[in-house]
Amino acid sequence: MDEGMTQSGGIPRRTALAAGLAAGAGATVLGALPGAAAAAPAAAVPAATETVAAGRGPGADWFAKPPRSVRPKFRWWWPDGLVDPDEIAREIDQIADAGFGGMEIAAVHHSIKDKSVLDTARHGWGSGAWRDGVEAALSRAARRGVTIDLTLGPSWPVAVPGVSPDDDVAAQELAHGRVALAAGASYDGPVPPPKHAPASGVTRQRLLAVQAARVDTANSTRKETGLDLASVRDLTSLVADGALSWTAPGDGDWVLISYWQRGSGQQPESGPHSAPAAYVVDHFSAAGTGAVTGHWDREILTPQLRKLLEAAGGAFFEDSVELETDGLCWTSALPEAFEKRTGRPLLPYLPAVVLDDSNQVFAFEAQLTRQIRHDFWATVSDLFNRHHVRALRDWAHSLGMQLRAQPYGLQTDAIASAALLDIAEGESLGFKNLDDYRCLAGGRDMAGHTVLSCEAGAYNGSAYSTTWDRFLRTMGGAYAAGVNQTVLHGFSYATAPQVSWPGFAAFSPYNGASGYGESWGPRQPTWQHVADIAGYLGRVHRVLQAGTVRADVAILRQTGYTATGIGASWFTATGVPLGWTHQFLSGPLLDLPHATVRGGRLAPDGPAYKALFVEGDFFYGSTPTLAVDDARKVLALAEAGLPVILYGAFDQALTPGVPADGETDRLRGVLARLLALPNVARVTDKALVGDALNRLGVTPDARHATSSTLLNAHRATADADFYYLCNGKHAETVKPAVAAVDHDVTLRRTGSGAGAGSGETVPYLLDPWSGEAVRLAHYTRDGDDFTLRISLRPGETAIVALGRPGLFGDRHGARPHVVATDADEALFTGEGLVVRAAAPGTYTTRPDRGRPVTTTVRAVPAVITPGRWRLDAEDWRPGTGATRTERVEVTVTLDALLPWSRIPELADSAGIGRYRTTVDLPADWDASHGARLELGQVSDTCRVTVNGRRLAPVDRLHPVVDLGTALLRPGPNVVEVEVATPLINRLRVAQPGVFGGVARQDHGLVGPVRLVPYVQARVS
């Protein structure tokens, strides 16, 4: 959602194509049923079963140097086709040089109010100039080894230039009109017109039907008029020359309802983008999707462009489904599809589904109304997934491309859509909590896909003030919930007519003020350090795309909705804080090949869920509902040995849709058989879910006795189990704020490779900032369970791997490890096992075998807080053009660290500051001494140099640097900290009309900065 809004062996396929730009093979398509996934182009599929190589061979850098394929991408905003090929090549170089893996070209220019300056006839989306730009981008991307994604149309939703809103392929709506009639009253006149006039450009509308229905006040609410279903009469045959004559019976008040089918007239956001103008297509018909693919095939995909897509194309992209209408989203095939699906005609039920400005208008009896609406939207979901998602995916595969999409925005089964897509995508702006991601992750993993993407970092009103700290806090939890690809929002093309410094920005100004998201790139001071961010994200992605996901519990969400902010009973509020992980499934996923049970696990070669949890439908009053077919599938899974928990009155369950004769009894008969199984439990109190899981012998792979904000994600490979840990929050709105965590965590080794389940497994800590994989020395083990201490600041992450000794090149073999110590830390070094202490004392360390070892530390130098600093700042200011920046040097001596906003010379400045101080260490400082450098508060990005040596990237959410024992020396030591800030403080004064309303922000090195010495002593 936007705002408002290798093949094995030989030369890799895309490398060969990039060199020769030769045409490649097409796609393989599997299955024909909704929910059956087709195979993506082989070259584009991440290696889900890739192993971690040991030793110092070709795979030694598996973690430290993640490949382009797993690195983060940018959403790249263009002012339609008003782009220059040379500038395009330059920007691709900038992105590639910074360590990112690709871009998504999107025509977005909300900041340009005068659209006439873009000249859509010459530079519109899909024009010759736009195609030239795309070809230039693909050509340069092929040379740089990055990929280019393309949005399916200009802006969003998907639209086609030249389609008229009156065309059958255009998006349709069903509008309604109404007239109230008293008992016995007559109506003689024109058919009641639609309540809302048609949108601009819509010239035709067709009367679908006219009905009469008796008002039933018992079913009325403040917003909905109650009707008696048995009274609904079809009056369409009485219409002559547009008029209707009818007299109401004398048994109560009545209402006449007319239904009009017409084009919605919706155009893509912030248009026009093309000449002729583009209109949104029907997302529920083969013809609507065919209009999109036909336009690409006929008007855009030249032979040269097709070859370039083979070389550097990644995926076609579709944003969230934001179909806008005052009425009800419609397609001509809906009545037929509804009757085929349910065996009943749609027309008598129409009053219960018609909408007015997204609000329901009429209702029958409450339970019946819920069932009708379920059947209607399930039909819409089938049409959307069959005719839109699957059709676009198959077409993309025919071009050697994938399909990435945000499959939500309507009341459709987005979980099933995620199973169809090559890459499902969520968003940090529109998703209310982490369960929204877990819905899409369930579809991805049950279908055997690898990637769940996220449109990341769009914050309202935060243009040029977004910090990477904020971005990382947002993404930390999303990664724990299943995300493993980031598309940053975004990178704006350099310039456009009439823009101001620092250049064109897609969403700023936005309605005259600071807009959404960021315009990352060289215009930002923090771009100097962005390779550190790209490296961090790439390493996280590397781990989270390795092997297969593991999740503890599958939760059956019958409607399949996401982007709702609705979580799971017990698991979201209670289970997650104790280490439990879960994903959501919908009914169609139970038909997939992975939906089998082995060893008590559902999808044993995938997520390997230990239990299935079925609860009432949150979206219909938490009613305990289950379709008969789904109940039979759940029964089959349980009979195969899968533990199942039903939460609610499932002994009295109802069908989600209108039941056929005897269907409710059949459902309850199946559920009675299910509930009689020993591995099935029913609970009616949410607080008892944990006890039910325990009785069934189901425990989480990661667990901790302390309830906390620690989140985790688990991936298993043949070589290792990987646990991504984050001290995050379930939703942005969680209060109070996340606090530090410091407690034991037990992690389970579940893999089947070398060392699994044997004494050969050891834990590693993988640092996504530095790329180092360090063998942990302090832990306890009980069989396959490893317990270690986890201490994380808010938003901070850690990655633990359980694998064989030597997996990441370490040479510690089967040395003893520490099970207890009162020293500050125990670790393996080149000298062997050592402990560290920041205070004098006698410390006892107990290894896993042998006698305890006593270590005496006689003295530790005192903590040093540097006093005076020299700050050499580059103050970035508007230059002679919109894309030119003047850098003014400012030098300040500071006796105390302050934010730039409180330094008179830099109060309204933004840029890069280089802080320098000298730290004197005592003469007896030797190789047993080391120190940590604590930076305290620092914003935004930073790099540290000590005695002329630049250190590994700094963890932005816990800026503490271990200097080790070899870097410092007796006497003076020079410490330098380079800090880059956002641009907002300068823009507040450079463009007060747009950014003046944003408060001045505190950036720079604020500290307190402390050098904390320690003494390191060998244990063995």
Side-chain angles (χ1 to χ4, degrees):
M1 172 180 174
D2 272 294
E3 299 65 41
M5 47 170 154
T6 76
Q7 291 173 318
S8 59
I11 301 174
R13 177 172 175 265
R14 288 191 180 267
T15 303
L17 287 168
L21 299 182
T28 300
V29 179
L30 301 178
L33 296 174
V45 176
T49 59
E50 187 172 14
T51 59
V52 181
R56 303 305 299 172
D61 292 328
W62 181 89
F63 176 68
K65 297 180 180 180
R68 293 281 188 189
S69 61
V70 302
R71 285 182 170 264
K73 306 172 184 289
F74 274 109
R75 182 155 293 171
W76 189 13
W77 294 306
W78 288 10
D80 293 330
L82 192 57
V83 291
D84 175 71
D86 290 338
E87 176 60 29
I88 285 170
R90 190 157 42 245
E91 293 183 11
I92 286 178
D93 286 346
Q94 292 164 353
I95 292 170
D97 289 345
F100 291 83
M103 317 91 197
E104 169 208 313
I105 298 173
V108 176
H109 43 69
H110 286 56
S111 61
I112 301 176
K113 290 303 181 183
D114 184 1
K115 305 301 181 182
S116 64
V117 303
L118 295 176
D119 188 4
T120 56
R122 295 175 57 198
H123 302 293
W125 182 89
S127 65
W130 181 86
R131 287 197 305 271
D132 290 344
V134 171
E135 288 189 7
L138 287 163
S139 180
R140 192 66 177 182
R143 290 177 174 83
R144 293 306 310 268
V146 296
T147 56
I148 298 292
D149 293 353
L150 297 168
T151 58
L152 283 164
S155 193
W156 70 92
V158 177
V160 174
V163 167
S164 160
D166 290 329
D167 291 345
D168 291 341
V169 300
Q172 305 288 301
E173 67 179 7
L174 190 69
H176 85 284
R178 66 185 292 182
V179 171
L181 289 177
S186 297
Y187 180 86
D188 190 2
V191 173
K195 180 179 179 181
H196 296 280
S200 176
V202 178
T203 65
R204 294 189 292 116
Q205 57 185 10
R206 178 175 70 86
L207 180 66
L208 180 71
V210 183
Q211 292 174 334
R214 186 174 58 246
V215 176
D216 183 355
T217 56
N219 293 322
S220 294
T221 66
R222 184 172 59 87
K223 294 182 178 181
E224 300 175 356
T225 300
L227 301 177
D228 176 11
L229 176 61
S231 74
V232 175
R233 304 185 182 189
D234 183 2
L235 307 182
T236 312
S237 63
L238 302 181
V239 176
D241 297 325
L244 171 69
S245 294
W246 185 73
T247 299
D251 58 350
D253 293 334
W254 290 71
V255 63
L256 293 177
I257 312 170
S258 59
Y259 305 95
W260 302 84
Q261 181 178 348
R262 65 195 184 191
S264 70
Q266 185 178 1
Q267 295 184 272
E269 278 277 326
S270 194
H273 295 273
S274 61
Y279 283 88
V280 176
V281 301
D282 183 350
H283 283 50
F284 313 117
S285 71
T289 302
V292 178
T293 59
H295 182 79
W296 277 85
D297 289 337
R298 293 188 308 271
E299 306 295 334
I300 297 178
L301 294 175
T302 64
Q304 177 66 5
L305 191 52
R306 291 172 183 266
K307 291 179 180 179
L308 286 166
L309 286 176
E310 291 280 352
F316 288 106
F317 173 70
E318 182 177 14
D319 216 315
S320 52
V321 191
E322 298 175 37
L323 298 181
E324 297 173 356
T325 169
D326 292 327
L328 178 68
C329 290
W330 193 257
T331 187
S332 296
L334 248 174
E336 179 184 356
F338 182 91
E339 186 162 2
K340 183 177 180 179
R341 189 181 199 280
T342 67
R344 296 178 298 277
L346 173 61
L347 188 59
Y349 299 130
L350 266 183
V353 296
V354 71
L355 296 176
D356 178 19
D357 288 332
S358 300
N359 296 312
Q360 305 289 162
V361 181
F362 304 105
F364 303 118
E365 181 273 327
Q367 178 178 308
L368 177 61
T369 299
R370 171 187 60 77
Q371 292 169 330
I372 293 169
R373 292 172 181 171
H374 175 276
D375 284 342
F376 177 82
W377 286 108
T379 304
V380 174
S381 183
D382 287 348
L383 294 173
F384 175 71
N385 281 331
R386 177 183 295 111
H387 294 312
H388 192 74
V389 177
R390 192 174 63 197
L392 285 174
R393 179 204 66 192
D394 294 349
W395 171 76
H397 290 183
S398 74
L399 295 165
M401 297 280 282
Q402 293 183 304
L403 180 63
R404 173 170 58 89
Q406 299 174 355
Y408 46 85
L410 299 172
Q411 295 179 65
T412 57
D413 189 343
I415 298 175
S417 300
L420 287 167
L421 290 164
D422 300 308
I423 303 171
E425 181 168 287
E427 54 182 289
S428 64
L429 176 67
F431 277 17
K432 307 300 188 300
N433 63 35
L434 300 184
D435 279 325
D436 287 339
Y437 295 109
R438 294 184 179 110
C439 289
L440 300 179
R444 173 198 65 183
D445 293 325
M446 282 295 289
H449 301 310
T450 299
V451 176
L452 174 59
S453 183
C454 181
E455 174 191 336
Y459 305 107
N460 189 7
S462 296
Y464 296 111
S465 62
T466 301
T467 63
W468 285 108
D469 288 17
R470 183 180 186 184
F471 175 90
L472 293 168
R473 290 179 194 274
T474 297
M475 291 309 301
Y479 287 133
V483 170
N484 55 11
Q485 173 177 284
T486 305
V487 181
L488 283 87
H489 188 284
F491 190 107
S492 292
Y493 182 80
T495 191
Q498 303 178 10
V499 303
S500 302
W501 182 82
F504 167 69
F507 295 105
S508 198
Y510 189 79
N511 294 330
S514 177
Y516 285 85
E518 273 299 347
S519 289
W520 301 112
R523 69 183 70 185
Q524 297 268 11
T526 57
W527 194 256
Q528 306 281 344
H529 304 153
V530 78
D532 298 349
I533 306 292
Y536 169 86
L537 296 174
R539 294 183 191 101
V540 170
H541 296 171
R542 180 59 146 164
V543 167
L544 294 181
Q545 291 184 30
T548 55
V549 73
R550 290 288 186 264
D552 295 321
V553 177
I555 296 171
L556 187 62
R557 170 161 287 179
Q558 298 174 58
T559 51
Y561 300 164
T562 193
T564 66
I566 294 178
S569 292
W570 189 81
F571 290 94
T572 296
T574 304
V576 169
L578 295 174
W580 287 90
T581 58
H582 64 276
Q583 293 181 343
F584 294 87
L585 313 183
S586 62
L589 271 61
L590 301 181
D591 292 320
L592 294 174
H594 280 86
T596 61
V597 176
R598 188 176 68 245
R601 301 295 179 91
L602 173 59
D605 298 320
Y609 306 115
K610 303 169 187 174
L612 178 66
F613 184 80
V614 183
E615 59 185 337
D617 195 332
F618 274 119
F619 304 98
Y620 293 102
S622 294
T623 305
T625 63
L626 201 58
V628 174
D629 285 347
D630 288 345
R632 289 171 176 152
K633 296 169 191 172
V634 174
L635 175 60
L637 296 173
E639 289 175 335
L642 178 69
V644 176
I645 296 177
L646 295 95
Y647 171 51
F650 275 90
D651 54 337
Q652 296 296 313
L654 301 170
T655 59
V658 178
D661 290 343
E663 189 174 0
T664 302
D665 290 338
R666 290 194 295 275
L667 170 64
R668 293 178 180 178
V670 174
L671 290 174
R673 293 169 58 193
L674 177 67
L675 289 167
L677 296 174
N679 56 316
V680 176
R682 184 174 74 89
V683 296
T684 55
D685 184 344
K686 182 169 61 176
L688 300 179
V689 172
D691 292 338
L693 289 164
N694 187 56
R695 288 198 308 272
L696 294 174
V698 180
T699 58
D701 286 339
R703 62 190 186 275
H704 37 91
T706 302
S707 180
S708 77
T709 50
L710 186 66
L711 305 168
N712 80 87
H714 180 193
R715 307 285 301 197
T717 73
D719 295 301
D721 284 73
F722 293 93
Y723 287 89
Y724 166 89
L725 306 170
C726 173
N727 181 17
K729 52 186 176 180
H730 189 64
E732 288 291 327
T733 56
V734 166
K735 293 180 181 179
V738 173
V741 299
D742 184 10
H743 58 69
D744 287 345
V745 177
T746 299
L747 307 176
R748 182 173 297 154
R749 176 72 163 116
T750 68
S752 59
S758 74
E760 296 179 8
T761 299
V762 296
Y764 295 86
L765 183 65
L766 279 59
D767 184 345
W769 288 100
S770 68
E772 293 180 333
V774 178
R775 170 101 166 258
L776 287 173
H778 186 184
Y779 61 93
T780 61
R781 180 178 184 179
D782 182 5
D784 291 332
D785 291 344
F786 293 77
T787 300
L788 52 148
R789 194 78 176 178
I790 295 294
S791 178
L792 296 173
R793 303 294 299 170
E796 188 183 2
T797 64
I799 299 173
V800 176
L802 304 178
R804 68 178 183 275
L807 181 62
F808 295 98
D810 68 279
R811 301 176 182 274
H812 302 296
R815 290 181 177 179
H817 66 272
V818 172
V819 297
T821 184
D822 53 2
D824 295 333
E825 186 179 5
L827 64 156
F828 288 116
T829 70
E831 298 176 352
L833 181 63
V834 302
V835 293
R836 287 176 176 177
T842 299
Y843 300 95
T844 301
T845 300
R846 182 161 61 89
D848 67 318
R849 54 188 184 271
R851 297 180 177 180
V853 178
T854 299
T855 304
T856 299
V857 175
R858 302 188 181 282
V860 180
V863 174
I864 300 172
T865 301
R868 175 165 293 195
W869 294 81
R870 171 179 168 140
L871 169 57
D872 295 313
E874 288 183 5
D875 180 6
W876 289 29
R877 303 178 181 181
T880 57
T883 62
R884 293 183 177 273
T885 298
E886 179 185 5
R887 293 167 173 81
V888 177
E889 300 290 339
V890 179
T891 298
V892 182
T893 299
L894 301 172
D895 292 325
L897 291 170
L898 297 168
W900 288 20
S901 59
R902 292 174 54 193
I903 300 173
E905 299 90 337
L906 296 171
D908 291 312
S909 300
I912 299 174
R914 299 174 179 90
Y915 297 78
R916 181 185 176 100
T917 191
T918 299
V919 176
D920 287 316
L921 296 178
D924 60 352
W925 189 278
D926 59 24
S928 69
H929 291 78
R932 291 183 177 87
L933 180 66
E934 300 175 352
L935 297 182
Q937 180 182 335
V938 55
S939 181
D940 178 29
T941 59
C942 66
R943 283 176 171 170
V944 175
T945 300
V946 175
N947 292 330
R949 178 182 173 185
R950 197 175 95 186
L951 306 185
V954 178
D955 186 335
R956 285 302 313 121
L957 299 177
H958 189 200
V960 175
V961 184
D962 184 2
L963 305 183
T965 59
L967 193 57
L968 298 171
R969 59 201 178 208
N973 293 261
V974 177
V975 176
E976 298 172 281
V977 183
E978 181 180 86
V979 180
T981 80
L983 278 177
I984 187 61
N985 284 353
R986 174 53 64 193
L987 282 167
R988 289 179 66 256
V989 296
Q991 293 188 48
V994 176
F995 299 98
V998 180
R1000 182 186 286 166
Q1001 297 185 1
D1002 292 341
H1003 297 301
L1005 180 61
V1006 180
V1009 176
R1010 304 194 321 154
L1011 190 74
V1012 182
Y1014 56 75
V1015 169
Q1016 179 171 295
R1018 184 174 178 178
V1019 174
S1020 61

